[in-house]
Amino acid sequence: MTGFAALLAAAEEIEGGFVFDITEDWLQGRTAYGGLTSALSLAAAQRVDPGLPPLRSGQFAMIAPLAGRVEARARIVRKGRNATWVAAELSGEKGVGFTASFVFMRRIESAADIAGYSMPERVTPPAEARPVPMEQAPAFLRENFDARFALPKSALGEADLCWWVRLKEREGFDPALEAVLVGDALPTAVLPLVNFKVPISSMHWHVNMLEPAPTTEDGWWLLRSTSEFARGGGASEHILQWNALGVPVIAGMQSVAVFG
């Protein structure tokens, strides 16, 4: 098993980025887990300028399967007084398989102050929550994460999943990288409504970082994925993430292809 920190440490420097190996324990079907490729693209973006402010938002496009030897490159698109835009891409032997666009922005004073995204009620604490069965889970989840059911079925909607998730190896890298790495760990919310063998693929994922340096207790993050619309081979999903104390850290949205 190759933890994320070890994968980064073993990466080889190349012009504009680094090259690394995506091992089988990070796969989701025939491609790398989306949270992994998102975090790796963020790691490449962070290297373009050591003085970047905190991550404010990221947009990720899962274009083609990526596994084995992969190159990550990033470049600054624009650097302003308060914000910097960085583009990143991951390429395998068949070309570009993943692209990302990031905004890094320093904290500034603002008249707007809205504290939304409250943690769901009736959440079971991680120590008391029932483990998610891993026998048929994809390799990345089974090998790299612990997961537990956070809400009873009676508190969930039709296409609605809510789990506690944590990395088995979570030392040695940036808090924003950890939050992004964990943030895509849930199955798509519509999966329980279709045959579990139906092919499903993430297309786009957008995240807004609500905390500049997210932290949590004992590694646990609460994730909730809900879908209010699924039709014609696609589903639109909202993904929210809190730390163990109920502080919201990521608000996101995902476009999913459902091939059946």
Side-chain angles (χ1 to χ4, degrees):
M1 188 173 75
T2 306
F4 182 76
L7 191 154
L8 275 183
E12 302 170 17
E13 297 290 331
I14 58 174
E15 184 178 357
F18 54 89
V19 61
F20 56 92
D21 291 298
I22 296 177
T23 51
E24 291 186 0
D25 54 301
W26 280 107
L27 294 184
Q28 183 174 14
R30 61 194 181 104
T31 190
Y33 157 57
L36 175 69
T37 47
S38 299
L40 288 167
S41 66
L42 175 56
Q46 290 175 329
R47 295 188 182 195
V48 300
D49 182 352
L52 283 173
L55 177 65
R56 184 60 61 96
S57 68
Q59 294 178 327
F60 309 103
M62 293 76 166
I63 298 169
L66 284 173
R69 198 72 165 168
V70 174
E71 295 181 356
R73 287 185 168 86
R75 61 183 177 86
I76 293 177
V77 178
R78 182 181 185 275
K79 187 172 184 178
R81 184 177 65 178
N82 296 317
T84 301
W85 283 257
V86 179
E89 66 179 33
L90 306 183
S91 301
E93 60 179 10
K94 294 184 178 181
V96 176
F98 185 98
T99 62
S101 176
F102 298 100
V103 178
F104 298 87
M105 181 177 171
R106 70 180 182 89
R107 192 178 185 93
I108 58 177
E109 294 298 322
S110 173
D113 188 1
I114 304 172
Y117 300 125
S118 298
M119 178 184 277
E121 298 180 359
R122 299 174 59 188
V123 168
T124 305
E128 303 172 16
R130 180 167 56 93
V132 174
M134 292 290 186
E135 290 81 6
Q136 298 183 358
F140 84 88
L141 187 63
R142 184 176 63 251
E143 300 294 340
N144 296 283
F145 293 91
D146 294 320
R148 300 179 183 178
F149 295 112
L151 284 177
K153 289 184 178 181
S154 59
L156 294 171
E158 182 180 24
D160 190 359
L161 297 173
C162 190
W163 294 1
W164 289 106
V165 179
R166 70 174 174 184
L167 283 163
K168 292 180 179 178
E169 296 184 24
R170 53 185 184 276
E171 302 296 331
F173 51 95
D174 179 83
L177 286 175
E178 180 180 349
V180 171
L181 182 61
V182 172
D184 193 34
L186 289 188
T188 178
V190 299
L191 190 61
L193 306 183
V194 299
N195 186 314
F196 277 80
K197 295 182 179 180
V198 167
I200 291 178
S201 177
S202 296
M203 308 294 283
H204 270 100
W205 183 32
H206 176 91
V207 300
N208 289 326
M209 298 295 296
L210 309 179
E211 287 288 319
T215 60
T216 193
E217 291 187 353
D218 200 25
W220 288 110
W221 303 91
L222 182 69
L223 300 176
R224 187 170 192 176
S225 177
T226 57
S227 181
E228 300 293 337
F229 189 93
R231 183 175 297 162
S236 178
E237 300 193 343
H238 291 273
I239 302 176
L240 292 171
Q241 183 172 346
W242 298 263
N243 71 9
L245 297 178
V247 177
V249 297
I250 288 180
M253 191 170 187
Q254 189 164 218
S255 173
V256 181
V258 184
F259 299 101

